[in-house]
Amino acid sequence: MQAKGLSRKQVLAELKKIRRRDQQYDDGKILCSMCTKPHPMAIKAYRLFLTSNLGDPGLFPGSVQLEEEVINELATLLHGKNCVGHLVSGGTEANLLALLAARNMAHVNAPEVVLPESAHFSFTKICNLLNLKPVYAGLDGSFRVDPLKVEKCVCQRTVAIVGTAGTSELGVVDPIEKLSPVALEHKVWLHVDAAFGGLVIPFLADAKLNFDFALEAVESITVDPHKMGMAAIPAGGIIFRDRKALDCLKTETPYLTDQYQYTFVGTRTGAAAASTWAVFRSLGMEGFKKVVGNCMKTTRLFAEGLTSAGFKLVVEPTLNIVSFRSNHGTKRLAEKLRQQGWFVSYVPRYDCIRIVVMPHVKKQHASAFLKDLTRIEKL
Ligand code: 0PR
C-alpha cells in the first residue's frame, strides 16, 4: 500500500484502465460463459442493497423479505409447494448444501453419492469436502444418464442420486422422471442440479421436460439466478422440498441477531436477493419467455450455420448450448479461435467446442462468428 491515499479521480482512472483488460459481454465474443450481463434493473437493485448482509438477518429484514420472496417464486416455477431455501454464492454452494443435507439425513457409514458421468465438477469438490464417495453412472447415446446404470450403482451406503437438468458441457437434460422411481424405491434423496436449466426449461415454448418438484422423489434443486436469471453475481439458489432439510444445515450463531445460519458462507450480500427480485419483477413470465425464446433462436442459427459449414454437432441442442466438432482438429480450432478473440470452451471429455448462447449473445454475433470460423479454421 502506498503511504498516502490518492484522489477519487486518480483511483477511478486507474481502475478504468485495468478494467479495459477484462472482456465485456457486450462485445459478443464471450461464448464460453454461463454468466451474462446483468439485467439493468439487477444492477440498480444491487446498488441499492450493496451494504446489506444476509449473514446477520436481524439487521436487514427487508433483504430477508426479498430472499424469501425470490425463493418462493423459484419454488413455484419448479412446481414446489411450501418449499424452503436460500440464495447462496453459486451452484457450487447450492449443490454442497443439498448433498450435506442428504448425507446428514441418511446417517450411514462410508456414504456414497451416485452421479452422472456428466455431472459438473463442483461435485468433485463437494465429495472431497463432505467425505462422500462419488460413484459415476454412465450415459446413454444422447449423453443423458442411463437410469438402469444409476440403479446398479445404488447400494445401502447411497445417500443421494444426482441428475442434471442442463448439463454444463452439452446442455442435455437427464431423464429425471426415470430417476424419481429409482430414488423412491431405494428411499434415496434425489437432487437435481438445474443450476443452468432451471431458469430455461420452464420458459421453453415446446419442450415438455419433467425435472422438478412435480416428481415425487425430488428433494432439492439447484437453480442459479446468476446464470440465466440475469442477476448479478453472486446469486446461486438452493430449494428444498421439506423444511426438515434446513435442520440438517443449521449452525448456531450465538451472538448474532438471528440464532442460526443455514448456508455455508457466513457474510453474504442481500444485493443478490434484490437483484434477482428486480429481474423477476421486471420481466415476469412473459419477459423470461422472450429472453429464452431469443436465446433458442440464436442457438438454432449457430446449429444450422455450423452444420452447413461442415461441422458436426455432438447433439441437437435441447437448451441454449451448442457443441460441435471439426474434422480437422477440434482442440486446435478452439485455440485458434481464442487467438482471434473468440472465447469458446474446449471440452476434452467429448473433444468438442461448447458455445453457451447467453442473452448477451445476439443474432449478429452468431453471424459474425460463423463467418469468421471458416477463415480461422484455415489459418
Ligand atoms: N452446476 C452446473 C450444471 C453448472 O453448469 C455449474 C457452473 C455449477 C453447478 C456451479 O456453479 P457456480 O460456478 O455458480 O458455482 N457452470 C459454469 C461452467 O462450468 C460456470 C461458468 C460460469 C463457467 C461462467 C465459466 C463462466 O465464464 O461452465
Side-chain angles (χ1 to χ4, degrees):
M1 201 183 287
Q2 77 283 350
K4 281 195 174 171
L6 302 180
S7 73
R8 286 183 198 187
K9 212 171 145 193
Q10 281 170 305
V11 176
L12 256 185
E14 282 184 30
L15 280 175
K16 281 184 179 160
K17 190 171 156 222
I18 297 170
R19 178 62 169 153
R20 279 199 288 276
R21 299 191 55 209
D22 289 347
Q23 295 298 318
Q24 301 300 326
Y25 290 113
D26 278 338
D27 294 345
K29 298 274 174 118
I30 303 180
L31 306 177
C32 60
S33 174
M34 281 192 177
C35 294
T36 192
K37 188 181 173 177
H39 185 280
M41 283 305 291
I43 298 170
K44 277 194 195 301
Y46 200 96
R47 285 206 186 110
L48 203 60
F49 282 77
L50 195 69
T51 56
S52 142
N53 169 22
L54 283 169
D56 204 358
L59 297 179
F60 304 101
S63 306
V64 172
Q65 179 191 332
L66 292 181
E67 185 185 31
E68 283 171 0
E69 289 185 15
V70 163
I71 293 297
N72 281 338
E73 292 213 45
L74 284 170
T76 307
L77 197 64
L78 303 172
H79 299 104
K81 290 193 188 79
N82 307 315
C83 292
V84 292
H86 282 291
L87 283 180
V88 291
S89 55
T92 304
E93 188 184 352
N95 286 336
L96 170 77
L97 294 180
L99 292 198
L100 178 59
R103 190 201 66 178
N104 289 359
M105 294 276 257
H107 294 294
V108 300
N109 284 328
E112 299 182 0
V113 54
V114 179
L115 296 163
E117 270 175 8
S118 53
H120 185 257
F121 57 77
S122 52
F123 289 102
T124 312
K125 302 179 190 175
I126 293 162
C127 287
N128 195 355
L129 275 171
L130 299 183
N131 214 3
L132 283 171
K133 180 179 166 198
V135 180
Y136 286 98
L139 311 181
D140 65 15
S142 52
F143 304 94
R144 301 167 359 131
V145 77
D146 181 338
L148 293 175
K149 291 184 179 155
V150 169
E151 184 148 31
K152 282 197 184 129
C153 293
V154 175
C155 72
Q156 298 274 306
R157 296 178 297 280
T158 308
V159 301
I161 296 172
V162 173
T164 316
T167 59
S168 314
E169 289 158 334
L170 302 177
V172 302
V173 180
D174 284 330
I176 314 290
E177 74 285 353
K178 295 204 176 118
L179 299 182
S180 180
V182 176
L184 281 181
E185 165 142 7
H186 297 272
K187 297 193 173 54
V188 171
W189 185 289
L190 179 55
H191 171 65
V192 179
D193 181 358
F196 181 71
L199 282 166
V200 181
I201 302 167
F203 309 116
L204 287 175
D206 33 20
K208 292 277 163 282
L209 294 159
N210 284 333
F211 75 103
D212 60 19
F213 291 116
L215 301 166
E216 206 180 330
V218 174
E219 287 293 337
S220 52
I221 303 182
T222 290
V223 49
D224 288 351
H226 72 198
K227 297 190 169 72
M228 282 297 287
M230 288 169 291
I233 302 170
I238 179 66
I239 321 276
F240 293 105
R241 180 188 289 275
D242 200 303
R243 182 160 287 280
K244 280 193 308 249
L246 286 187
D247 292 333
C248 300
L249 303 175
K250 192 153 101 176
T251 300
E252 217 182 325
T253 53
Y255 52 85
L256 302 191
T257 53
D258 227 15
Q259 219 181 335
Y260 302 106
Q261 277 184 1
Y262 300 88
T263 55
F264 182 67
V265 168
T267 301
R268 63 192 171 99
T269 180
S275 83
T276 308
W277 192 93
V279 181
F280 286 9
R281 281 297 234 209
S282 304
L283 291 181
M285 292 294 290
E286 194 185 43
F288 264 107
K289 280 184 188 156
K290 233 182 236 168
V291 170
V292 168
N294 285 336
C295 289
M296 291 309 295
K297 260 190 224 154
T298 313
T299 301
R300 281 189 284 274
L301 278 183
F302 273 109
E304 282 157 20
L306 287 163
T307 315
S308 49
F311 295 94
K312 288 209 175 59
L313 300 187
V314 181
V315 277
E316 278 302 321
T318 311
L319 308 182
N320 43 328
I321 294 181
V322 190
S323 345
F324 68 98
R325 296 189 181 111
S326 150
N327 289 328
H328 314 288
T330 308
K331 189 172 181 199
R332 182 78 193 101
L333 176 60
E335 286 162 5
K336 285 195 275 188
L337 281 165
R338 176 75 177 266
Q339 282 156 11
Q340 299 290 313
W342 291 103
F343 288 82
V344 294
S345 319
Y346 172 70
V347 181
R349 198 203 304 261
Y350 306 118
D351 183 38
C352 70
I353 288 173
R354 168 188 84 158
I355 290 177
V356 191
V357 190
M358 295 301 289
H360 65 267
V361 183
K362 309 286 185 205
K363 221 163 71 179
Q364 64 271 26
H365 303 131
S367 313
F369 174 81
L370 290 165
K371 221 168 126 194
D372 221 10
L373 182 63
T374 328
R375 174 187 73 82
I376 292 170
E377 191 168 42
K378 291 194 193 111
L379 292 176

